[in-house]
Amino acid sequence: SPFREMLSRTYNWLVRNALRTHFSDAQCGFKAVSRAAVQHLVPQVQDESWFFDTELLTLAEKQGFRIADIAVAWDEDDDSRVKIVSTAWDDIKGIWRVRRTVRAAQPGPALVSTGRRT
């Protein structure tokens, strides 16, 4: 529906801009993950709900794992039970939490030695 299309595009825009990611869609579609990636990444993921996919993909991208977007045909389920307002609010909180986590993990400027002792 146009409403779901707008929600999806807005969410993915927010993820790309707030988290500086490059994958095209965080929630729809399939995720195929190697065992090594799962063992490394899943213990770092804090969310156990709808935001899990976004957090997993963001951590994977930031830690150098290869991510490939492959288009799939998707049919909308008119009988969806997603609570849009509470899910959206939880996702926004998750985005800000992951943003803080990713920023804290980024290395700061390298200290350059002058070769002198002080």
Side-chain angles (χ1 to χ4, degrees), residues 25-74:
D25 194 325
Q27 292 185 321
C28 292
F30 306 100
K31 282 35 168 212
V33 187
S34 70
R35 181 182 305 232
V38 165
Q39 290 172 337
H40 181 78
L41 294 167
V42 169
Q44 299 174 53
V45 176
Q46 294 180 28
D47 193 84
E48 296 179 0
S49 191
W50 292 103
F51 187 69
F52 178 90
D53 296 6
T54 303
E55 187 169 2
L56 179 71
L57 286 168
T58 300
L59 292 173
E61 183 176 287
K62 299 299 181 185
Q63 294 177 35
F65 286 86
R66 188 178 64 222
I67 297 174
D69 286 321
I70 301 170
V72 297
W74 180 74

Side-chain angles (χ1 to χ4, degrees), residues 3-21:
F3 180 67
R4 282 199 179 184
E5 180 77 18
M6 184 266 313
L7 283 177
S8 178
R9 289 186 185 274
T10 301
Y11 180 76
N12 287 305
W13 177 87
L14 182 61
V15 167
R16 278 191 309 277
N17 286 284
L19 299 176
R20 300 289 184 230
T21 58

Side-chain angles (χ1 to χ4, degrees), residues 11 14 57 71 82 87 93 106:
Y11 180 76
L14 182 61
L57 286 168
V82 176
T87 300
K93 291 186 297 187
Q106 290 177 346

